Amino acid sequence: GKEWQKTRSRVRSAVKDIAKELIALYAKRTQIKGHAFSPDIDMQNDFERRFEFDETEDQLRCIQEIKDDMEKPYPMDRLLCGDVGFGKTEVALRAALKCILSGKQCAILAPTTVLAHQHYETAIRRFDSIPLNIELLSRFRTKKQQTEILKKLENGTVDMIIGTHRLLQKDVRFAALGLAIIDEEQRFGVKHKERFKEVFHGIDMLTLSATPIPRTLNMALSGIRDMSVIEEPPQDRYPVQSFVLEYNEALVAQAIQRELKRGGQVYYLHNRVETILHCAAKLQKLVPDARIGFAHGKMSEQEISETWRRLVEHELDILVCTTIIETGVDVPNCNTLILEQADRFGLSQLYQLRGRVGRSNRRAYAYFTYAPNRELTEIAEKRLAAMREFTQFGSGFRIAMRDLELRGAGSILGGQQHGQMEQVGYEMYLKMLNEAIAEEKGEPITAPPQCTIDIRMEAHIPESYIRSMTSRLEIYRRVALIQTEHDKMDMVDELIDRFGEPPKSLLSLIDASLLRNTAARLGIHEISQKRGALFFYISAPTATQLAVLMRTYYDRIAFNDREVPYFIAVRIAKGETAVSLMKEVLRILEANRG
């Protein structure tokens, strides 16, 4: 109505101001003088050839995008988004070597000591044939060791430093820092991120994340940061089978026994240090023959290292642990994850934890459990529904998008855009922002093709089928995105799985959505039902399309080529429905396009 038009007009005006600021910010970034790294040399090529796996096409594309950025004379600011286990670390190490071979130092930041230590061991193994000085700086280093490392870092004898947020402290000084790589950026707090800007001003930055936080993703989608996405999984990987259910001891015992019978190992996540030993004892009663260990963040480096060794060497069957395993832990033989009180975790956390299993060519299982008879909050239900929904490879990016919808985008340039975003919704806001940026740059604004369908059919989701209004709106949104027959079948399968057999009105809605999107791709602006005929308003049908339609409906068809858009009218025959006729006409038009 009028109020909505006023709101859109008000937001569009505000968005224009923000677009000017965004363009100024982007221009400023390209004007900051950075270091243009040298093109690849033989040592770089030899290092890349020694990679033990075959790179995916996505990996190679992302590597090239990052190298191109590094060779530019202004600082890189790129987000590398890819699922857990998709090879982000290898991409980062190639960028690190390019930096070092150009005479600069590289810093890799990780949010936890465990992940920093794993990156250190990976770097030592990958660079074993190249004379580099690689050091690790974390709380597990003694005071004396830290002092020596900092001295070497300042005089330039350390080529690569890997560490936790300890690297952001004021006593850390670099001789010639050229590249900062930030892994699992969503785990760092706001203060750390502000410190990144101070410490790494004017140098190249590469941020790695499977599920970037909404603000980061928003900046990438808005064009403030560059983004590379790895969507292709490594060979011989299977998606993790995910289950969301009430906690049940018999089911837990059964899941553990199934994994142990095939020679695998289990992560059991109990996120309370005070009661972790009690939990391990309870599991021992459930599975008497299992060898059980535990790990949490309050243990010393020696204790944690010994536990990982026992796990990796299969001296343990079950590891009872806290979220210490959330990032970076890689034990390919652990392929069942059982998570207690899953409703208390964030969406990104749940996704990261699931990524700890399924890192080999075996089918993996994740059980997200919650306390029996516990009433879940609406947001917890949405998070768990997302884990059930997004099980395919490449879901990390979609999980981050869902997180963006659930939590909001956060401030990009300040608080001024937040209220505007709430008024029109995130997708509409971003569309208006992109249009305003294109207008500022003098670029043409291209809108995706759309088609309106106005025929007599019952197409809606009955409240009796999906009682929650939020869930209904979510399904409406997803139905509207159906593009192919495959999408349609996936949607129907999921509806049966979650809510039972879909009613006829919902199946009609799904059909209508698929037909509308197919029609839009064919250049059809509108399909309407009038006086016993279907009218197709189309931009430019081909001669072949028209000839086939005339042969098929020779006594039921009419054309009007004197007006724009062109229309084709086909009479609905006796015993035929508008939907079946529409499907058939679209099938003919699609088969004969081009």
Side-chain angles (χ1 to χ4, degrees), residues 282-320:
K282 186 180 75 174
L283 276 180
Q284 194 73 72
K285 284 182 186 173
L286 272 180
V287 197
D289 299 334
R291 298 166 295 174
I292 299 177
F294 63 90
H296 56 77
K298 290 190 178 176
M299 293 164 70
S300 68
E301 183 190 15
Q302 288 73 25
E303 289 172 319
I304 288 176
S305 295
E306 176 59 15
T307 302
W308 292 141
R309 184 196 66 75
R310 292 177 66 206
L311 188 68
V312 169
E313 294 180 11
H314 205 161
E315 292 175 15
L316 294 175
D317 296 313
I318 304 170
L319 180 69
V320 183

Side-chain angles (χ1 to χ4, degrees), residues 245-487:
L245 64 173
E246 283 190 353
Y247 188 87
N248 178 302
E249 284 192 348
L251 185 138
V252 166
Q254 187 185 357
I256 292 172
Q257 293 285 13
R258 187 200 291 131
E259 186 60 56
L260 300 190
K261 272 180 189 168
R262 63 175 186 169
Q265 294 160 282
V266 177
Y267 289 124
Y268 186 97
L269 202 136
H270 175 89
N271 205 29
R272 286 185 69 82
V273 174
E274 300 81 7
T275 52
I276 202 166
L277 289 174
H278 174 71
C279 176
K282 186 180 75 174
L283 276 180
Q284 194 73 72
K285 284 182 186 173
L286 272 180
V287 197
D289 299 334
R291 298 166 295 174
I292 299 177
F294 63 90
H296 56 77
K298 290 190 178 176
M299 293 164 70
S300 68
E301 183 190 15
Q302 288 73 25
E303 289 172 319
I304 288 176
S305 295
E306 176 59 15
T307 302
W308 292 141
R309 184 196 66 75
R310 292 177 66 206
L311 188 68
V312 169
E313 294 180 11
H314 205 161
E315 292 175 15
L316 294 175
D317 296 313
I318 304 170
L319 180 69
V320 183
C321 54
T322 59
T323 51
I324 192 170
I325 66 161
E326 183 181 339
T327 48
V329 176
D330 189 0
V331 184
N333 199 44
C334 277
N335 280 304
T336 291
L337 166 74
I338 298 165
L339 192 69
E340 282 185 5
Q341 298 184 323
D343 53 306
R344 298 191 175 182
F345 292 84
L347 190 50
S348 170
Q349 258 189 320
L350 290 170
Y351 188 73
Q352 289 288 343
L353 289 164
R354 185 173 69 187
R356 298 309 108 210
V357 295
R359 300 175 79 90
S360 68
N361 58 1
R362 273 187 174 185
R363 173 70 73 191
Y365 301 90
Y367 298 85
F368 300 100
T369 74
Y370 51 91
N373 305 316
R374 177 178 170 82
E375 193 172 329
L376 301 182
T377 64
E378 188 181 349
I379 200 85
E381 272 189 15
K382 284 182 180 176
R383 286 173 185 150
L384 293 173
M387 294 311 295
R388 193 194 294 114
E389 179 187 337
F390 297 122
T391 57
Q392 293 305 309
F393 289 127
S395 294
F397 187 73
R398 291 195 289 277
I399 287 266
M401 285 297 289
R402 178 62 55 84
D403 210 10
L404 184 62
E405 289 175 7
L406 293 180
R407 289 165 55 191
S411 174
I412 307 174
L413 304 168
Q416 78 267 31
Q417 98 282 27
H418 183 70
Q420 312 287 357
M421 194 179 295
E422 276 186 344
Q423 288 175 346
V424 295
Y426 179 71
E427 283 187 35
M428 171 68 77
Y429 178 84
L430 199 61
K431 179 172 174 273
M432 291 165 79
L433 180 59
N434 288 335
E435 284 176 2
I437 289 171
E439 197 179 321
E440 274 301 309
K441 289 179 175 177
E443 295 172 354
I445 297 167
T446 52
Q450 292 194 332
C451 173
T452 304
I453 292 181
D454 182 13
I455 64 171
R456 288 189 283 281
M457 65 187 296
E458 193 183 358
H460 68 281
I461 304 175
E463 284 186 42
S464 56
Y465 180 64
I466 301 177
R467 297 194 179 281
S468 160
M469 180 189 268
T470 310
S471 298
R472 270 202 317 280
L473 289 172
E474 168 61 12
I475 296 299
Y476 271 122
R477 187 184 72 83
R478 291 187 47 220
V479 165
L481 298 174
I482 290 172
Q483 298 285 339
T484 64
E485 196 67 36
H486 181 70
D487 292 346

Side-chain angles (χ1 to χ4, degrees), residues 12 24 31 47 143 166 208 220 246 253 266 280 311 329 354 414 451 520 533 577:
R12 199 178 292 282
Q31 284 162 12
F47 169 77
K143 186 101 174 130
R166 171 72 181 86
L208 317 182
E246 283 190 353
V266 177
L311 188 68
V329 176
R354 185 173 69 187
C451 173
T577 65

Side-chain angles (χ1 to χ4, degrees), residues 454-457 527-535 572 577-578:
D454 182 13
I455 64 171
R456 288 189 283 281
M457 65 187 296
I527 302 173
S528 58
Q529 186 176 357
K530 300 173 194 169
R531 301 182 300 280
L534 274 188
F535 285 72
I572 303 168
T577 65

Side-chain angles (χ1 to χ4, degrees), residues 436-557:
I437 289 171
E439 197 179 321
E440 274 301 309
K441 289 179 175 177
E443 295 172 354
I445 297 167
T446 52
Q450 292 194 332
C451 173
T452 304
I453 292 181
D454 182 13
I455 64 171
R456 288 189 283 281
M457 65 187 296
E458 193 183 358
H460 68 281
I461 304 175
E463 284 186 42
S464 56
Y465 180 64
I466 301 177
R467 297 194 179 281
S468 160
M469 180 189 268
T470 310
S471 298
R472 270 202 317 280
L473 289 172
E474 168 61 12
I475 296 299
Y476 271 122
R477 187 184 72 83
R478 291 187 47 220
V479 165
L481 298 174
I482 290 172
Q483 298 285 339
T484 64
E485 196 67 36
H486 181 70
D487 292 346
K488 172 186 161 179
M489 297 312 297
D490 278 354
M491 184 82 250
V492 172
D493 287 347
E494 186 186 327
L495 288 168
I496 293 169
D497 187 41
R498 289 175 64 183
F499 307 105
E501 199 65 39
K504 190 178 176 184
S505 62
L506 177 48
L507 293 174
S508 296
L509 180 71
I510 291 169
D511 269 344
S513 182
L514 174 57
L515 293 170
R516 188 181 64 248
N517 290 328
T518 304
R521 285 199 302 274
L522 290 166
I524 297 171
H525 306 278
E526 183 185 341
I527 302 173
S528 58
Q529 186 176 357
K530 300 173 194 169
R531 301 182 300 280
L534 274 188
F535 285 72
F536 296 81
Y537 293 89
I538 183 166
S539 298
T542 66
T544 308
Q545 287 174 325
L546 293 176
V548 175
L549 284 172
M550 285 174 74
R551 271 204 312 273
T552 312
Y553 304 107
Y554 63 94
D555 59 343
R556 299 162 51 193
I557 198 162

